[in-house]
Amino acid sequence: MLAKCQANWRNGSGAESVRAAITIYPIVICLCCFDSLKFRVSYTHKAHSALQLNIDSANAELRNASPEAIVRWALAQGGRTIATTSMGRNAAVMLHLVSQVDPSVPTIWVDTGYNLRDTYVVAERLIRDLKLNIHVYSPQMTSERRNAIMGGIPTVDEEARHAEFTRQVKLEPFDRALADFQPDFWLTGIRREETEHRKTLDVVSHDARGIVKVAPIFYWSDAQVDAYMAQHGLPTCKHYFDPTKVMDGRECGLHTAA
């Protein structure tokens, strides 16, 4: 009973555990609550440590480190860590890097519902071959229903409608993922050369949501990405479409929304 009580506190169902403990084993409640208190203090300390991380020192330390070493550094910080993927072109690089270091790291995929068949085929292959701890988050409304309501995908010139579209298909599902996993650290495959916004970041940066964002391949060139893909025989989709970006050089919102 004690073990079950402690486990329930850890996964957020503590109230039910307490009621059961009081009813069945009155003395257990004290032990369970004491252990829970230690756990919550410990996690709060980790989260606080993540926020207090010296970003400049971390970037100086990691500037010339290998992507594998950067992943290990993030995991060694002791906080809750997630990885994210778009399953877009060359997404296999980050998926492979993380899975080689620790395949248990939760990988979040926000599937907008607008991916092409090729993307889904390659995604399923990567999930299977790399044995990913994948968690797929989808919009609350199907793409066909949204198309009927909104008249298709809004253009980027329709700023208000496109912003609402982006919220529905990308930001809201990602917010659910963050609520579920409550990460301290976020492993991401963003690279400096991809957008103007990303040129303002570094390997390690603070997200406005309070998460430490870690980009192991931040300074890699297209050639380095291609070489890694070839070296490890990794597959990539040939056809990929992100309706929130529409064109290269635009942000999808995940890295700028907070």
Side-chain angles (χ1 to χ4, degrees):
M1 179 64 188
L2 175 57
K4 182 177 180 181
C5 175
Q6 293 168 334
N8 284 342
W9 268 102
R10 285 168 171 79
N11 65 27
S13 56
E16 294 181 9
S17 183
V18 169
R19 283 194 292 269
I22 292 173
T23 304
I24 303 172
Y25 298 109
I27 199 167
V28 170
I29 183 63
C30 296
L31 297 173
C32 179
C33 287
F34 178 69
D35 183 73
S36 170
L37 178 61
K38 289 192 295 181
F39 171 77
R40 292 181 185 277
V41 168
S42 174
Y43 177 67
T44 301
H45 173 71
K46 288 178 182 177
H48 180 71
S49 297
L51 289 172
Q52 296 300 314
L53 184 71
N54 188 313
I55 297 296
D56 291 338
S57 295
N59 281 312
E61 175 186 349
L62 300 174
R63 177 63 179 86
N64 297 311
S66 69
E68 294 87 349
I70 295 172
V71 172
R72 293 185 187 280
W73 175 89
L75 297 177
Q77 301 309 303
R80 294 182 180 180
T81 303
I82 63 167
T84 55
T85 183
S86 67
M87 290 297 180
R89 292 187 183 92
N90 298 326
V93 170
M94 272 299 296
L95 295 173
H96 185 266
L97 279 169
V98 175
S99 69
Q100 294 304 295
V101 176
D102 186 353
S104 71
V105 174
T107 296
I108 309 302
W109 176 22
V110 174
D111 176 9
T112 64
Y114 291 87
N115 284 305
L116 305 176
R117 182 182 185 279
D118 181 36
T119 302
Y120 288 117
V121 170
V122 174
E124 291 304 318
R125 178 178 169 185
L126 288 169
I127 292 169
R128 180 197 67 211
D129 293 353
L130 299 179
K131 297 179 174 57
L132 302 177
N133 181 13
I134 195 77
H135 298 265
V136 183
Y137 285 79
S138 301
Q140 295 177 323
M141 184 186 299
T142 65
S143 56
E144 286 302 315
R145 183 182 176 199
R146 185 178 302 100
N147 288 341
I149 294 172
M150 301 188 76
I153 300 171
T155 67
V156 292
D157 294 328
E158 303 172 271
E159 292 185 7
R161 294 182 70 243
H162 194 271
E164 173 59 17
F165 175 85
T166 299
R167 186 196 69 78
Q168 289 185 22
V169 305
K170 187 70 73 74
L171 303 183
E172 189 280 328
F174 189 58
D175 284 345
R176 271 188 277 128
L178 294 182
D180 287 345
F181 288 91
Q182 300 181 19
D184 301 311
F185 293 86
W186 168 10
L187 291 167
T188 170
I190 62 171
R191 293 186 293 127
R192 186 181 187 277
E193 65 181 40
E194 291 172 326
T195 71
E196 289 302 313
H197 172 70
R198 295 175 190 188
K199 290 177 182 177
T200 68
L201 305 177
D202 208 330
V203 173
V204 182
S205 60
H206 266 138
D207 185 87
R209 303 173 181 91
I211 308 169
V212 175
K213 193 154 45 182
V214 182
I217 59 172
F218 187 75
Y219 287 105
W220 269 21
S221 64
D222 288 343
Q224 287 174 295
V225 170
D226 291 341
Y228 189 95
M229 293 285 291
Q231 177 186 353
H232 296 282
L234 299 170
T236 184
C237 60
K238 294 180 174 61
H239 306 96
Y240 176 74
F241 175 63
D242 185 339
T244 64
K245 288 184 178 179
V246 181
M247 62 189 77
D248 291 339
R250 293 189 77 253
E251 290 288 342
C252 67
L254 294 189
H255 298 281
T256 58

